[in-house]
Amino acid sequence: MSTPMLSPNSARRKAIELPCQSAEADLWFAEQPGHLEQAKALCQECPLRVQCLEVALENAEPWGVWGGEIFSGGTVVARKRPRGRPRKNPVA
């Protein structure tokens, strides 16, 4: 049986280290706002960040971090609020 030959493009793709493939996958779909901010930070250095964001916008991804942005309900949101009700009175 012969070994399949890799094209130069496929060899180059394997050499690219993507944060979403090397870090914990749950980080990009976490409930905690701090974890989502961590995922966004990891995306900033990704060579495919722009393309990832474009595809996520086209597909209206329902949630998670895509291309360094947080998606909720198919749209980009600046920050995800923590679970629970907002305070009625300001913290002193």
Side-chain angles (χ1 to χ4, degrees):
M1 186 178 261
S2 65
T3 306
M5 295 292 294
L6 293 176
S7 71
N9 287 341
S10 63
R12 200 172 339 170
R13 284 185 200 140
K14 286 189 176 200
I16 296 173
E17 183 141 343
L18 304 176
C20 59
Q21 293 180 352
S22 59
E24 180 67 35
D26 291 341
L27 189 63
W28 276 261
F29 301 97
E31 287 292 323
Q32 296 86 2
H35 291 163
L36 294 175
E37 292 299 323
Q38 185 180 357
K40 283 175 56 175
L42 289 171
C43 286
Q44 296 309 309
E45 299 300 319
C46 180
L48 300 178
R49 186 180 65 79
V50 173
Q51 294 91 332
C52 179
L53 180 58
E54 288 172 356
V55 170
L57 288 168
E58 287 173 13
N59 294 338
E61 289 293 340
W63 66 299
V65 175
W66 298 89
E69 299 293 340
I70 299 173
F71 279 74
S72 180
T75 60
V76 174
V77 295
R79 299 208 185 292
K80 181 172 180 174
R81 292 182 345 147
R83 292 182 67 150
R85 190 173 219 181
R87 295 181 178 268
K88 288 185 178 182
N89 301 318
V91 177

